[in-house]
Amino acid sequence: MSHVYVVGQVTVNDPERWLDYVERIPETLASWGGEVIMRGQRASTLAGQPGHPNIVMLRFPDMHAVEQWYDSPEYQALIPLRDAAAQVDLAAYEG
């Protein structure tokens, strides 16, 4: 079964607000079959010039679930907090 992964590349500007945002994310994922696969900080640069030091990866059953999650009132309500806490680039990948 193929999944869709949402990858967030992150630079945290306000650690306290970021922690608040991170703690609220799981409750927005369950309705859409989403889950946090990993969060981490760059340990080493092997090639290129990565733009952000942190990464998060979410897994969803399909692209429709990703779109429904992102557009949901629950997640949309967290976007101002996310944007106040960090610079985040999000992209979805099929795989």
Side-chain angles (χ1 to χ4, degrees):
M1 177 180 179
S2 183
H3 292 94
V4 176
Y5 299 88
V6 173
V7 176
Q9 297 182 20
V10 181
T11 299
V12 176
N13 300 318
D14 184 330
E16 188 173 311
R17 284 185 178 171
W18 182 250
L19 181 59
D20 187 19
Y21 169 79
V22 165
E23 289 175 347
R24 294 179 183 197
I25 287 299
E27 65 194 35
T28 71
L29 299 171
S31 295
W32 314 110
E35 61 182 317
V36 177
I37 298 300
M38 63 85 67
R39 291 184 187 282
Q41 293 183 330
R42 183 181 327 119
S44 176
T45 298
L46 302 176
Q49 297 178 352
H52 296 281
N54 302 302
I55 191 167
V56 60
M57 184 179 296
L58 312 175
R59 180 172 57 201
F60 289 87
D62 53 42
M63 193 62 211
H64 179 72
V66 170
E67 292 166 347
Q68 293 297 305
W69 163 73
Y70 190 84
D71 292 338
S72 70
E74 295 82 7
Y75 185 69
Q76 287 293 307
L78 292 180
I79 290 176
L81 179 59
R82 179 196 74 195
D83 291 348
Q87 179 185 352
V88 179
D89 295 328
L90 287 179
Y93 299 87
E94 294 178 332

